[in-house]
């Protein structure tokens, strides 16, 4: 599925208002609202506590041990974009650090998700530049082999197209297809409203056993209480 040696300059991004409507919701809520789809594998983790991001994807296909295409991708960033980087094969080298983060931020980019390594964690924390990566690794990379920019990529088992919306927080990373952003934002709002009602009832002492109607199916499954 991969094209090599290409940069697609035209990306169809969703309506910014729809992205903003999705912003209040965390990864777990968005994942559930989208039918429990879109999650990246759990090895993609924030490189410092409290990191979070939401933005439209500029995708990057990297070669192992080579960050050339990250530099190419920076030129394609628009304000509010997130770099989403996959690799042609597994590699945990430190593809990204403080200098690239500085360049990304100068173009309006808001973060990075990479199925590879990242370094300069202390500096990224000080910058409050959110990175979600497969590993933290000081090993450097070269600039020698072409990959591509703005092609569909599979990043940590999630298919990402340029322009898709990426949401990342302490619970992980989820990808929302560009054409579903408004729908998923609405479903996330309804889910949050429903959870607020449940939160109120649980705080008042109501049991999940009763709120979710669990007693009858538990009895039917053979659960017994013994005094």
């Amino acid at each position: 599925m991969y094209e090599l040696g290409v940069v697609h300059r035209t990306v169809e991004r969703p309506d910014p208002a729809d992205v903003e409507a999705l912003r209040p919701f965390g990864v777990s809520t968005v994942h559930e609202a989208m039918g429990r789809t879109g999650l990246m594998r759990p090895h993609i983790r924030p490189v410092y506590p409290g990191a979070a991001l939401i933005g439209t994807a500029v995708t990057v296909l990297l070669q192992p041990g080579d960050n050339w295409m990250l530099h190419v991708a920076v030129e394609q960033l628009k304000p509010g974009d997130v770099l989403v980087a996959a690799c042609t094969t597994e590699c945990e080298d430190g593809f990204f650090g403080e200098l690239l983060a500085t360049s990304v931020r100068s173009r309006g980019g808001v973060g990075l998700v990479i199925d590879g390594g990242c370094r300069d964690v202390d500096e990224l924390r000080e910058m409050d530049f959110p990175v979600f990566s497969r590993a933290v690794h000081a090993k450097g990379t070269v600039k020698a082999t072409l990959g591509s920019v703005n092609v569909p990529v599979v990043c940590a088992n999630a298919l990402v197209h340029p322009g898709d919306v990426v949401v990342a927080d302490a619970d992980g990373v989820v990808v929302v297809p560009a054409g579903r952003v408004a729908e998923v934002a609405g479903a996330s709002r309804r889910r949050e409203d429903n959870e607020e009602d449940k939160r109120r009832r649980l705080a008042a002492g109501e049991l999940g056993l009763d709120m979710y109607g669990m007693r009858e199916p538990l009895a039917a499954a053979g659960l017994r209480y013994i005094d």
Side-chain angles (χ1 to χ4, degrees):
M1 65 177 286
Y2 291 138
E3 299 176 87
L4 291 175
V6 298
V7 178
H8 292 276
R9 290 177 168 172
T10 301
V11 174
E12 293 189 13
R13 295 168 172 84
D15 188 328
D18 293 335
V19 179
E20 285 303 307
L22 195 61
R23 185 177 297 278
F25 308 112
V27 168
S28 296
T29 295
V30 172
H31 164 63
E32 295 281 356
M34 203 163 53
R36 296 196 295 174
T37 61
L39 279 182
M40 290 190 183
R41 294 286 295 148
H43 63 253
I44 305 296
R45 301 299 305 153
V47 301
Y48 61 84
L53 61 80
I54 178 172
T56 45
V58 166
T59 62
V60 190
L61 180 62
L62 300 167
Q63 298 284 2
D66 193 315
N67 76 348
W68 211 4
M69 300 312 293
L70 283 170
H71 290 271
V72 174
V74 170
E75 185 180 26
Q76 303 306 313
L77 289 169
K78 303 292 185 186
D81 283 344
V82 174
L83 286 175
V84 179
C87 195
T88 58
T89 191
E90 290 187 4
C91 183
E92 297 180 345
D93 292 354
F95 290 93
F96 189 91
E98 174 210 356
L99 292 179
L100 262 171
T102 300
S103 184
V104 168
R105 180 162 281 171
S106 77
R107 306 286 294 190
V110 298
L112 168 74
V113 176
I114 182 168
D115 197 2
C118 172
R119 60 186 189 174
D120 299 339
V121 171
D122 286 343
E123 290 84 354
L124 293 169
R125 183 189 300 111
E126 290 173 9
M127 295 171 65
D128 195 22
F129 185 93
V131 173
F132 289 73
S133 70
R134 179 188 187 94
V136 173
H137 198 346
K139 184 180 178 183
T141 55
V142 300
K143 299 167 179 61
T145 312
L146 290 179
S148 291
V149 175
N150 283 330
V151 298
V153 298
V154 175
C155 184
N157 285 24
L159 177 62
V160 189
H161 291 87
D164 287 349
V165 173
V166 179
V167 183
D169 60 24
D171 287 336
V173 183
V174 65
V175 181
V176 181
R180 296 189 62 192
V181 177
E183 167 207 339
V184 173
S188 296
R189 169 51 60 200
R190 291 189 293 275
R191 183 174 182 83
E192 282 281 294
D193 290 345
N194 183 48
E195 287 192 351
E196 179 56 34
D197 177 64
K198 291 176 181 176
R199 190 175 296 112
R200 175 186 56 78
R201 292 166 63 184
L202 290 168
E206 185 174 353
L207 292 173
L209 286 171
D210 298 310
M211 185 170 68
Y212 295 112
M214 295 178 181
R215 294 190 186 277
E216 186 174 334
L218 283 168
L223 181 69
R224 297 178 297 136
Y225 290 87
I226 300 173
D227 295 324

